[in-house]
Amino acid sequence: AQSVAQPEDQVNVAEGNPLTVKCTYSVSGNPYLFWYVQYPNRGLQFLLKYITGDNLVKGSYGFEAEFNKSQTSFHLKKPSALVSDSALYFCAVRDGGATNKLIFGTGTLLAVQP
Amino acid sequence: DVKVTQSSRYLVKRTGEKVFLECVQDMDHENMFWYRQDPGLGLRLIYFSYDVKMKEKGDIPEGYSVSREKKERFSLILESASTNQTSMYLCASSLWAPSSGNTIYFGEGSWLTVV
């Protein structure tokens, strides 16, 4: 079965420093991987996805993610964190089969200190 | 822009009540989903629908049902609300294209409290 793991419940980083939010996956076949962000009391907003092609995927708000097949990872990164990046981040993998449903990790809370 | 609208943001219902959560999308998407979000558990799929009047159970369908009479509307029904159904409910939609990773778009969520 497809699954993703987010090993860190919370990541703390100072404003201006680079940030990394980790995600590892387990899939059969080719992985379709996604990152979403959730601000307090809001729904999920799509950040970026990896389907095929370049291992470095660029997304919204200056975020990028690196697909690493050998390490089965899809870590989210940003070169310089902003206080406004503080939010809950979810990694997800598309389930197999004909539908498009996603399987989500448990989420990582990113706290950026001024 | 894709818009997924959940009509009720905050609801308080009593145990045993029948509860309807409504969701409408404006992008002619075939797929629609209902997820439940709880702290430490992430998002769990309750039901999804890939066409009008078609539905499939997700990972936690017990205590829920759904209705999709029109393509743009997907309703989640709690037949008899219980306190353990207090949660954030998220509706989502996407195009149906199994060979590509179509993006799933989410609504703003509905906070349901059952007392």
Side-chain angles (χ1 to χ4, degrees):
Chain A
Q2 324 285 63
S3 67
V4 290
Q6 294 180 244
E8 302 156 317
D9 291 335
Q10 183 162 338
V11 170
N12 298 304
V13 64
E15 188 174 31
N17 284 0
L19 69 87
T20 299
V21 182
K22 295 180 180 177
C23 174
T24 59
Y25 65 89
S26 174
V27 302
S28 53
N30 294 322
Y32 293 167
L33 296 158
F34 299 77
W35 276 103
Y36 285 83
V37 60
Q38 185 180 37
Y39 298 101
N41 298 319
R42 303 295 297 277
L44 272 67
Q45 294 181 31
F46 169 72
L47 278 179
L48 51 81
K49 64 183 177 183
Y50 172 82
I51 305 302
T52 187
D54 195 349
N55 289 343
L56 187 63
V57 180
K58 294 190 182 298
S60 307
Y61 312 122
F63 283 93
E64 57 190 26
E66 185 171 9
F67 172 69
N68 187 317
K69 188 172 184 178
S70 62
Q71 297 186 4
T72 62
S73 66
F74 188 55
H75 300 332
L76 182 69
K77 300 182 180 185
K78 188 174 182 182
S80 179
L82 300 172
V83 172
S84 57
D85 292 330
S86 298
L88 188 57
Y89 290 82
F90 288 98
C91 181
V93 63
R94 179 178 171 267
D95 200 6
T99 59
N100 201 30
K101 54 183 178 175
L102 292 180
I103 297 171
F104 285 85
T106 52
T108 298
L109 183 65
L110 174 66
V112 182
Q113 282 88 35
Chain B
D1 279 355
V2 175
K3 193 161 180 65
V4 179
T5 302
Q6 295 181 234
S7 54
S8 301
R9 291 296 318 276
Y10 302 96
L11 306 94
V12 179
K13 299 292 182 180
R14 295 192 179 279
T15 300
E17 272 193 80
K18 191 169 186 176
V19 181
F20 293 86
L21 299 180
E22 306 288 345
C23 176
V24 176
Q25 49 95 3
D26 66 355
M27 286 301 291
D28 204 34
H29 284 170
E30 291 84 5
N31 288 344
M32 294 190 75
F33 310 84
W34 276 105
Y35 283 88
R36 170 176 171 163
Q37 181 181 3
D38 299 288
L41 297 177
L43 277 74
R44 294 177 292 167
L45 183 64
I46 304 171
Y47 267 97
F48 66 96
S49 168
Y50 49 91
D51 202 349
V52 175
K53 296 190 186 296
M54 306 303 288
K55 60 186 179 185
E56 282 198 22
K57 294 179 180 179
D59 300 316
I60 52 165
E62 296 79 18
Y64 303 95
S65 62
V66 291
S67 172
R68 193 163 180 203
E69 297 296 320
K70 294 184 178 181
K71 191 175 185 180
E72 67 271 17
R73 188 180 296 271
F74 191 36
S75 303
L76 180 69
I77 304 158
L78 285 67
E79 297 291 343
S80 178
S82 64
T83 54
N84 63 13
Q85 292 179 309
T86 292
S87 188
M88 164 83 131
Y89 292 88
L90 289 159
C91 176
S93 73
S94 75
L95 288 169
W96 180 84
S99 62
S100 68
N102 281 312
T103 300
I104 292 181
Y105 296 93
F106 283 83
E108 289 292 294
S110 297
W111 283 99
L112 172 66
T113 301
V114 183
V115 297

